[in-house]
Amino acid sequence: MEDGAMKLAEEMEAQVLRSFAEDYLYEAALASVKVKATESLMCGRMTLLHYRMFGGVGDDIYRAAAAVEFMILALDIIDDIQDDDHKAMPWNDLPKNIALNLAIAFLTLSHETLLRCRFPSEHIHKAAMYLSRQVITATNGQTLDLLNNIATEEEYITMVKQKSAALLVCACMIGVILATGDVSPHVEEYAMEIGVSAQIKNDFRDLLNWDHKSDFLQRKRTLPLLFLLSSINQEDERWVADYFEGRLELSDIQHRSEEFAVIVERTGTSMYASFRERSSYYHFREILDSMGLESPWKQALIAAAE
Amino acid sequence: MLKEMFQNIVKNPQAQVQFQSGQLQLAGMTSWERKALMDIIRNEKPGNVMRTNRYWY
């Protein structure tokens, strides 16, 4: 693990050690943080990167990055409870009522950790306000996702911007605010595009993965699926729409995953998903290029966003 | 609108050639959408990115 990753993971574990007095909850919290540390810690990294990009110095930013990761962890746990998903995660070994308790603790720890950072108080205040606002925005987006009644691509983009993209914007902006005391509209805009690009990529992957989490089998309305459904025009493809609209059951179609993959290709769905994902990525790149950042930070951001 | 433009281009080899040569202008498509579409037509991956593991600061 890189030095920076290790520092962030250590900060998270230190906060868990000082916060969870009850052994059962402490062990659950520690296991959750350790699993999180084996993943990309993308959001915490974005906080660190943006702090440095905007002139921030010193190591106190690791505590703020830990605060961001606690927020993400809390929402991940809640999302898994809501979706009944990600069975391999340690919080899924807990009774749901305890897992929910753990999520509440992490969300609150996120705010407390940020408030305990050693930055100018007005910077802390602004960052805490921003974090709160983005979590509320994300819950609005999550509501749209759970209702699963989006009908158009525009509604999908709106939902994604509120849900997952808002959290990435939050991570980036916390770093900017702590470094400068203010938000950056450019960062807000490009972070949103990175988030949208990532979500489209995830949704396309989940479309084809019938073994684990298939948006199609769950009849989840995503951009790739909306495009697929609008592109079906051959008789041998009709079963896809029939299943999605409830006229067929899972048992009628669960053996047809290879056929489904062929239809996804034939209708141009994979190309379209790639086109939309890349469009957002290139929009991010155009905004970034317009900012005139020094090369090491720009390349680091591009690498982190890939 | 964007979806329809995309579908018209990818299903029409002549339009793809015209788009690549700059003869076909797609009104309403942004610069980043045109770039992405060019990637798709050429079956390319985004940019020459200097990949690095060093993004801890």
Side-chain angles (χ1 to χ4, degrees):
Chain A
M1 198 188 280
E2 300 255 357
D3 276 352
M6 201 169 298
K7 276 186 187 172
L8 176 50
E10 283 173 355
E11 181 65 42
M12 291 177 76
E13 289 188 25
Q15 295 301 327
V16 165
L17 182 61
R18 63 171 283 280
S19 304
F20 292 87
E22 170 58 45
D23 283 349
Y24 184 88
L25 201 61
Y26 168 72
E27 294 296 337
L30 190 63
S32 301
V33 163
K34 284 187 183 297
V35 155
K36 207 68 182 147
T38 64
E39 295 177 353
S40 68
L41 294 175
M42 166 79 153
C43 285
R45 281 175 18 213
M46 284 297 195
T47 303
L48 295 168
L49 174 58
H50 282 80
Y51 180 73
R52 300 284 184 234
M53 269 168 60
F54 283 79
V57 296
D59 283 356
D60 288 356
I61 191 60
Y62 283 98
R63 183 169 291 179
V68 168
E69 283 295 335
F70 284 139
M71 179 264 291
I72 298 295
L73 182 49
L75 297 181
D76 278 350
I77 295 171
I78 292 168
D79 188 63
D80 283 355
I81 293 170
Q82 290 167 330
D83 290 347
D84 198 22
D85 195 5
H86 284 95
K87 299 299 182 191
M89 292 300 179
W91 49 83
N92 285 313
D93 293 334
L94 304 170
K96 280 197 168 59
N97 50 6
I98 302 290
L100 188 55
N101 226 26
L102 184 62
I104 293 168
F106 276 133
L107 197 55
T108 311
L109 183 59
S110 168
H111 280 84
E112 190 202 51
T113 302
L114 185 58
L115 290 168
R116 291 180 62 246
C117 288
R118 290 184 294 262
F119 290 102
S121 57
E122 59 272 22
H123 292 198
I124 297 280
H125 181 254
K126 194 168 257 187
M129 289 284 289
Y130 198 91
L131 188 142
S132 301
R133 177 49 42 184
Q134 292 305 99
V135 170
I136 292 167
T137 299
T139 58
N140 278 272
Q142 179 73 344
T143 300
L144 292 175
D145 191 28
L146 291 168
L147 289 173
N148 194 30
N149 58 9
I150 58 164
T152 66
E153 291 184 8
E154 290 70 30
E155 288 176 10
Y156 168 88
I157 296 295
T158 298
M159 182 267 291
V160 167
K161 283 185 173 179
Q162 289 187 65
K163 192 182 81 153
S164 44
L167 299 178
L168 187 64
V169 171
C170 180
C172 298
M173 205 62 75
I174 296 295
V176 175
I177 292 170
L178 292 177
T180 69
D182 217 341
V183 299
S184 162
H186 279 126
V187 170
E188 198 160 68
E189 197 181 3
Y190 75 51
M192 193 68 79
E193 293 296 339
I194 296 171
V196 169
S197 180
Q199 190 62 53
I200 294 173
K201 189 189 280 189
N202 282 350
D203 286 343
F204 179 70
R205 181 201 60 210
D206 290 342
L207 185 68
L208 295 174
N209 187 2
W210 280 32
D211 290 335
H212 177 54
K213 180 190 167 189
S214 166
D215 286 341
F216 173 67
L217 295 184
Q218 294 177 25
R219 299 183 175 97
K220 199 129 186 267
R221 294 174 175 274
T222 63
L223 183 142
L225 204 39
L226 290 176
F227 181 89
L228 173 65
L229 292 169
S230 73
S231 304
I232 289 171
N233 54 19
Q234 297 186 25
E235 194 51 43
D236 62 347
E237 296 168 348
R238 284 236 45 92
W239 65 269
V240 173
D242 286 342
Y243 173 77
F244 197 81
E245 289 160 16
R247 291 186 290 276
L248 290 175
E249 297 300 321
L250 178 60
S251 54
D252 297 322
I253 60 101
Q254 62 187 17
H255 57 285
R256 301 178 85 163
S257 62
E258 287 182 16
E259 195 181 335
F260 182 77
V262 169
I263 294 171
V264 165
E265 277 303 313
R266 193 165 66 204
T267 52
T269 299
S270 57
M271 287 172 66
Y272 186 69
S274 185
F275 163 64
R276 290 301 299 263
E277 175 222 323
R278 292 178 191 196
S279 293
S280 290
Y281 175 81
Y282 282 131
H283 192 192
F284 145 64
R285 291 293 301 270
E286 283 201 16
I287 298 166
L288 183 62
D289 287 344
S290 74
M291 293 170 69
L293 287 172
E294 289 179 18
S295 179
W297 303 118
K298 188 173 165 181
Q299 293 305 329
L301 178 56
I302 291 167
E306 278 273 299
Chain B
M1 184 74 173
L2 183 62
K3 185 172 71 177
E4 287 74 21
M5 270 198 279
F6 176 87
Q7 286 174 314
N8 288 337
I9 292 277
V10 296
K11 287 177 182 174
N12 185 340
Q14 189 175 359
Q16 289 178 33
V17 171
Q18 289 177 328
F19 176 73
Q20 287 187 74
S21 66
Q23 290 177 282
L24 183 62
Q25 297 297 320
L26 297 170
M29 197 176 261
T30 62
S31 56
W32 51 88
E33 286 161 350
R34 280 196 295 275
K35 201 167 180 181
L37 183 56
M38 193 67 84
D39 273 4
I40 300 302
I41 290 171
R42 290 178 178 169
N43 196 25
E44 283 180 9
K45 296 199 182 299
N48 290 321
V49 173
M50 187 175 75
R51 292 201 62 88
T52 174
N53 289 324
R54 175 101 181 97
Y55 37 76
W56 291 99
Y57 304 92

